[in-house]
Amino acid sequence: MKKRWIQVAIAAVVIVLLIPVGQIAYDATFNKSSGSVASVSPVTDEEALATFAGGCFWCMEPPFDGVEGVMEVYSGYTGGQEEYPAYEDVASGNTDHVEAVQVRFDPDRIAYEDLLQIFWRQIDPTDADGQFVDRGHQYSTAIFYHNGEQRDLAEASKRDLEESGRFNEPVITPVLEAEAFYKAEEYHQKFYQENPVRYQAYRAASGRDSFLDEYWGDERNYEPTSYDPADSKYAVDYTDEELEEMLMPIQYEVTQLDGTEPAYRNAYWDHYEDGIYVDVVSGEPLFSSRDQYDSETGWPSFTQPIDEHYILEEEDRKLLVVRTEIRSRYGDSHLGHVFEDGPEPTGLRYCMNSAALRFIPLEDMEEEGYEDYIDEVTSS
C-alpha cells in the first residue's frame, strides 16, 4: 500500500509538469463546460448496454472501442442525483457522480462476460478512493448492471477475480444498479483520438499502465472468447512468402516492414476522385474521399477514418518523438500515422501511405461489396 501511494504521488508531480495542471486545469482553461447532454438513446432489440466506471474516462474508452461487437462507446457521468451535471462539478467532487463509460454492444457478437474481462484489466479493483493519480469518489470504480442477468454475471466475475488471488487486497469494486447516464461534453468523447499526444502524456504519467503490467502481465490484453476474429470477411492468413509475391515491392515495404513511401511520388497524394480507400492486403474499408484533403505534405491525408473499427492505433517510438501509428485491424498493415494538425471538424491528419491503400471508385463500390459505405462518400 505504501509503495502504491508513493507511485501515485510521483505520478501526480509528473502529470502537473506535463499537462500543465492535469485534466481539470486543461478543460477549465480551454473548454469550459456547458453541462452534459441528454442520456444516450434507447437501444434496439439487437443491442444492449454495459456501463463501467474505471477512473478517468479518457482511459476507459480505448479498451472497448473497436472491439468486435461493440457498436459505440461514450464517456459520461452516472451514479448521482443531479441532472445534466457539468464536468467541472463532477471532477471537483461537487456531485455524487462518477466518471464512467457506456458501451453499446451486440450480444450476438460479443458476450457481456467478455466486456467484464476487458473491464477488470483496466483498473485497480482494490482502491476505494479513486484510480491511480486521480483521487476522490468521482474516480472510483463500479459495474452498473442493466438487468438481472448482468448483475449475476458481474457478481460471479467479481467473485472469480477475488478467488483467483491475483491481488493482495480485497476486490472492492461494487456491482450497482444502473442509474441515469449523462453523456459528457463533446470534447471528452474519443479524447484519445482527438488529442493523442496529450492523452498519451497523461496516461504514461498516471501510473495505470505500470500497475496493469505488474498485475496482469501477458494476460493484460484480453481476447474475447465469444467471437473468433477469423470469422470476419476481412480476416487474412497469408504467409510472408505469399505477401511478397502478391504485393509490389513498395507495398510490401510499407505494409509489412513499416516503411514510408516518398512524398509526392505516390499514387494518391493528389487524387480526389469519389470513392473509398481500402487496405491493400485485407480489403478493410479505411477512408472516404469525402474526408480527404490536401495537407501539402505529399501523402494522402484524411480527417477521419470511414469506420473506426478497422483502425488500430499503436505508440511509435522509432524516431526521437512519440508518434501514433495507424494499422489495419485484420490485415495488420502499417498504414501511416495520425497527427493533431489537421483541419476541422476533427483537427486530425491521418497521413497515410498510398502503397498501403487500394482505391475503389464510387461507381464500383456496390459491385465490390462496399454498398454500406456509399453514404460516407456522397453525404456532405
Side-chain angles (χ1 to χ4, degrees), residues 14-306:
V14 174
I15 285 179
V16 167
L17 294 175
L18 283 174
I19 315 181
V21 196
Q23 283 177 274
I24 297 176
Y26 171 77
D27 292 319
T29 302
F30 298 103
N31 289 300
K32 180 65 177 177
S33 292
S34 57
S36 51
V37 297
S39 302
V40 297
S41 58
V43 294
T44 67
D45 292 340
E46 292 77 31
E47 300 171 5
L49 290 178
T51 304
F52 303 107
C56 171
F57 47 29
W58 292 353
C59 298
M60 293 301 294
E61 278 193 356
F64 296 101
D65 228 358
V67 172
E68 184 67 32
V70 171
M71 308 169 81
E72 195 163 2
V73 185
Y74 336 82
S75 287
Y77 318 113
T78 193
Q81 298 301 311
E82 298 83 359
E83 294 184 346
Y84 304 105
Y87 173 68
E88 286 78 17
D89 293 329
V90 175
S92 61
N94 290 332
T95 75
D96 294 327
H97 292 281
V98 293
E99 289 194 8
V101 292
Q102 193 156 80
V103 181
R104 291 177 60 202
F105 69 100
D106 181 349
D108 289 334
R109 298 165 65 194
I110 186 169
Y112 183 67
E113 298 97 307
D114 285 324
L115 298 179
L116 289 168
Q117 290 299 324
I118 294 172
F119 168 71
W120 292 125
R121 286 162 170 78
Q122 314 309 317
I123 67 167
D124 176 358
T126 70
D127 190 345
D129 300 317
Q131 284 291 282
F132 311 106
V133 76
D134 295 311
R135 313 312 300 162
H137 167 74
Q138 64 271 36
Y139 295 112
S140 59
T141 65
I143 299 171
F144 295 92
Y145 62 85
H146 290 264
N147 53 49
E149 181 183 11
Q150 285 191 358
R151 178 197 60 217
D152 295 343
L153 290 171
E155 289 178 344
S157 181
K158 176 181 175 179
R159 186 165 54 251
D160 289 344
L161 183 62
E162 176 73 48
E163 293 174 354
S164 73
R166 184 176 298 274
F167 298 99
N168 300 325
E169 300 173 43
V171 174
I172 54 82
T173 297
V175 177
L176 306 171
E177 185 174 4
E179 301 181 40
F181 182 92
Y182 297 96
K183 189 176 179 183
E185 295 81 353
E186 191 58 33
Y187 62 85
H188 285 302
Q189 308 303 323
K190 301 291 185 290
F191 190 89
Y192 76 100
Q193 292 180 342
E194 302 292 338
N195 300 275
V197 175
R198 188 172 294 116
Y199 168 74
Q200 288 169 4
Y202 163 78
R203 177 154 188 146
S206 71
R208 186 183 292 259
D209 288 322
S210 59
F211 176 90
L212 299 178
D213 285 339
E214 178 182 354
Y215 283 93
W216 287 97
D218 294 340
E219 299 178 65
R220 179 176 168 183
N221 296 319
Y222 177 77
E223 291 293 335
T225 57
S226 54
Y227 173 76
D228 183 357
D231 291 340
S232 171
K233 66 178 180 180
Y234 298 114
V236 294
D237 190 26
Y238 298 117
T239 66
D240 192 60
E241 290 75 16
E242 289 172 329
L243 287 169
E244 280 197 273
E245 183 176 344
M246 66 183 281
L247 298 175
M248 293 186 293
I250 186 61
Q251 292 175 324
Y252 182 85
E253 179 185 351
V254 167
T255 61
Q256 306 305 305
L257 304 180
D258 301 348
T260 301
E261 65 193 0
Y264 299 103
R265 287 187 289 140
N266 55 79
Y268 302 129
W269 75 270
D270 61 348
H271 179 261
Y272 299 106
E273 181 182 355
D274 288 341
I276 64 169
Y277 296 86
V278 304
D279 183 281
V280 71
V281 173
S282 64
E284 296 163 76
L286 301 172
F287 298 97
S288 167
S289 59
R290 179 195 62 184
D291 303 312
Q292 188 172 6
Y293 73 101
D294 183 6
S295 64
E296 300 182 354
T297 61
W299 290 284
S301 299
F302 307 85
T303 57
Q304 60 189 351
I306 195 172

Side-chain angles (χ1 to χ4, degrees), residues 358-369:
R358 180 170 74 90
F359 179 74
I360 301 176
L362 176 61
E363 59 268 23
D364 296 337
M365 286 176 61
E366 183 173 1
E367 180 181 349
E368 294 210 28

